[in-house]
């Protein structure tokens, strides 16, 4: 091949090239693929591809009895199992006009908030890894493991609990729960502070995340973004405060808000929420009333014909369940509003005109779970 | 099962309130009647939420009003879904106002054969993936959607697995 001449080089033009990222990329937190169009170092366009984990959970639920669907919800957002079980149980209870006993509500809140801390621990870990910090990840996983060990004592499983049943919870808390939780809480507080101190104001971490992937409140709402992503833009909106469910109105906690809507703010919301969740756990533990833990005590149900929509705040954002029943023992139609799915729609907007190197950071700051996106 | 899903009966699924509407929801009901006066619609209740039933061709202007009217302020679309009632599809839109803190359910019935509905992506960009999903799972065509490419299923998948007629439980365990 001949050497390129001066004229050949003059005819060369700048072209946009397409880069495929995923689905096996370690930073995609599952199986997510995006095709990035880049102009030099800048991202011009992003086309996300999802569906690698699609199991048709909503369709499968139409063939399962009401108590069996709880296990499907465990597998949607596999990092926030209790929160997912809670919202489904509330939907069926709403159709049935049923209220869980107060003790069951407190147990649900306590476990959901511990789950939120565990989920945010994982975000600290994975987001640290995305920005190149390995150490906080190991510390965060240690804290998460402590919570999961308590969950194992309560429900018999580390992750797929199937512990919240329609009308309450499966069984009362174990006898040594008070002792174990009493030992866990101070350690947990220390763990959170440790991760916080290790990562949050690290110079390199700040340089990678400050002012990156900015989104403003109006755009975030337009894209359907909720949860920490929305609160990071400065809007103090939390379903637990706005429409309290499962006795959340009885607990005293604050909604942390950000200012800039960038990656660091989104991360900071999660760290702040861990402290707030710890406050709720302490209150729920101290104020927990005695009494029954299940309002119906049976599992086979035939809710009346009707429909209901319930909302709840998951670690990743606002989850919703739309349930249509036809009077049989199976749901007629079930549709989930997965928070990660809605947050992911905004990714295209956030990646525009950002550097390719920041792509992983912006994506990581959304804290998505592909099991929930694909259902 | 056959009589449970007869058109006449299934039309009443959820249209009658089981729980009485809260004062706030009743206020929204009157407000909605006033704000949507120019569109032919029906105001009812879906359990504890206010519900508006509208013809498909009125959907986009109604949604635009719901979003832009400062009294209603439905800036966030919570959920967009289709329900297969075997004789028709029902589009269900859950809208949320973050300032007024109320929820509105908008419903539109589509024919079972060749279902077409205008896309609301021009109103809320968050409706984009929901509509793509409903297109591939239920075969509902969203007119005016910028890109109705498959989202969850692979390219070349045949059939609409969301529909009740799809043979989902006939498969053998593997």
């Amino acid at each position: 091949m001949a050497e390129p001449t001066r004229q050949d080089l003059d005819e060369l033009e700048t072209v946009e090239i397409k880069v495929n990222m995923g689905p096996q990329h370690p930073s995609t937190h599952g199986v997510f693929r995006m095709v990035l169009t880049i102009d030099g170092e800048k991202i011009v366009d992003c086309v996300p591809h999802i569906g690698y984990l699609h199991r048709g959970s909503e369709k499968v639920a139409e063939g399962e009895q009401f108590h069996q669907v709880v296990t499907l919800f465990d597998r949607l957002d596999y990092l926030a199992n209790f929160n997912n079980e809670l919202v489904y149980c509330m939907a069926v209870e709403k159709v049935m006009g049923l209220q869980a006993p107060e003790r069951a509500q407190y147990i649900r809140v306590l476990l959901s908030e511990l789950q939120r801390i565990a989920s945010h621990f994982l975000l600290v870990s994975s987001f640290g890894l995305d920005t190149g910090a390995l150490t906080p990840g190991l510390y965060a996983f240690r804290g998460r493991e402590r919570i999961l060990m308590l969950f194992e004592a309560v429900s018999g499983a580390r992750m797929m609990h199937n512990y919240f049943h329609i009308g309450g919870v499966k069984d009362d808390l174990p006898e040594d729960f008070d002792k174990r939780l009493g030992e866990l809480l101070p350690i947990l507080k220390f763990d959170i502070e440790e991760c916080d101190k290790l990562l949050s104001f690290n110079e390199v971490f700040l340089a990678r995340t400050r002012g990156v992937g900015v989104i403003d409140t109006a755009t975030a709402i337009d894209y359907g973004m909720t949860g920490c992503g929305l609160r990071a833009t400065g809007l103090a909106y939390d379903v637990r405060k706005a429409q309290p469910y499962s006795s959340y109105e009885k607990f005293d906690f604050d909604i942390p808000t950000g200012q800039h809507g960038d990656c660091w703010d989104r991360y900071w919301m999660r760290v702040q929420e861990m402290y707030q969740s710890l406050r709720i756990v302490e209150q729920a533990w101290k104020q927990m009333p005695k009494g029954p833990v299940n309002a119906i005590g049976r599992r086979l149900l035939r809710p009346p014909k009707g429909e209901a929509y319930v909302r709840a705040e998951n670690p990743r954002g606002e989850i919703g369940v739309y349930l249509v029943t036809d009077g049989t023992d199976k749901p007629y139609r079930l549709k989930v509003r997965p928070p990660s799915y809605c947050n992911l729609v905004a990714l295209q907007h956030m990646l525009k005109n950002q550097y390719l190197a920041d792509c992983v950071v912006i994506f990581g700051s959304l804290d998505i779970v592909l099991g929930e996106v694909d259902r | 099962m056959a009589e449970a899903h007869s058109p006449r009966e299934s039309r009443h699924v959820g249209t009658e309130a089981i729980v009485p509407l809260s004062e706030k929801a009743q206020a929204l009901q009157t407000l909605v009647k006033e704000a949507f006066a120019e569109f032919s619609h029906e105001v009812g209740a879906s359990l504890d939420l206010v519900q508006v039933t509208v013809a498909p061709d009125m959907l986009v202007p109604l949604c635009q009003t719901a979003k832009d009217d400062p009294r209603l302020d439905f800036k966030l679309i919570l959920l967009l879904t289709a329900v297969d009632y075997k004789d028709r599809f029902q589009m269900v839109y859950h809208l949320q106002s973050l300032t007024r803190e109320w929820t509105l359910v908008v419903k539109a019935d589509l024919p079972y054969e060749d279902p077409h509905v205008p896309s609301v992506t021009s109103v809320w960009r968050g409706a984009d993936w929901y509509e793509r999903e409903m297109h591939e799972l239920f075969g509902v065509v969203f007119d005016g959607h910028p890109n109705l490419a498959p989202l969850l299923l692979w390219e070349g998948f045949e059939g609409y697995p969301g529909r009740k007629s799809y043979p989902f439980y006939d498969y053998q365990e593997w």
Side-chain angles (χ1 to χ4, degrees), chain A residues 11 54 322 340 348 361:
Chain A
E11 280 169 10
H54 183 57
Y322 177 58
S340 313
Q348 257 170 306
V361 179

Side-chain angles (χ1 to χ4, degrees), chain A residues 19 55 87 100 103 142 169 189 196 212 244 258 290 354 364 370:
Chain A
V19 179
R55 296 149 292 176
V87 67
R103 183 175 172 83
R142 193 183 58 178
V169 293
K189 186 147 199 275
D196 186 4
V212 172
K290 294 252 179 298
Q354 296 287 327
L370 264 303

Side-chain angles (χ1 to χ4, degrees), chain B residues 84-125:
Chain B
D84 178 0
Y85 282 113
K86 291 184 182 171
D87 57 332
R88 74 208 150 92
F89 287 109
Q90 191 170 58
M91 298 304 301
V92 186
Y93 302 77
H94 283 85
L95 316 177
Q96 175 71 27
S97 164
L98 299 181
T99 48
R100 306 259 188 280
E101 195 46 55
W102 49 33
T103 314
L104 180 72
V105 188
V106 179
K107 287 186 177 177
D109 284 344
L110 312 180
Y112 205 78
E113 298 299 322
D114 195 24
H116 276 263
V117 67
S119 165
V120 293
T121 40
S122 56
V123 188
W124 302 279
R125 276 180 288 185

Side-chain angles (χ1 to χ4, degrees), chain A residues 254-323:
Chain A
D254 302 323
I255 310 173
T257 48
Q259 291 170 341
H260 310 290
D262 56 4
C263 288
W264 190 82
D265 271 0
R266 282 194 282 278
Y267 159 82
W268 186 237
M269 289 310 98
R270 268 112 188 181
V271 174
Q272 292 298 304
E273 256 190 21
M274 279 154 84
Y275 290 116
Q276 298 302 329
S277 292
L278 214 53
R279 278 176 71 190
I280 303 176
V281 170
E282 272 168 11
Q283 291 171 47
W285 181 42
K286 293 273 185 276
Q287 301 166 13
M288 190 174 291
K290 294 252 179 298
V293 291
N294 202 315
I296 37 175
R298 67 194 156 88
R299 304 188 74 180
L300 269 175
L301 304 167
R302 281 199 172 76
K305 201 167 167 181
E307 60 176 44
Y309 183 79
V310 292
R311 312 163 64 207
E313 189 75 26
N314 254 27
R316 260 148 279 280
E318 181 183 335
I319 189 170
V321 170
Y322 177 58
L323 176 73

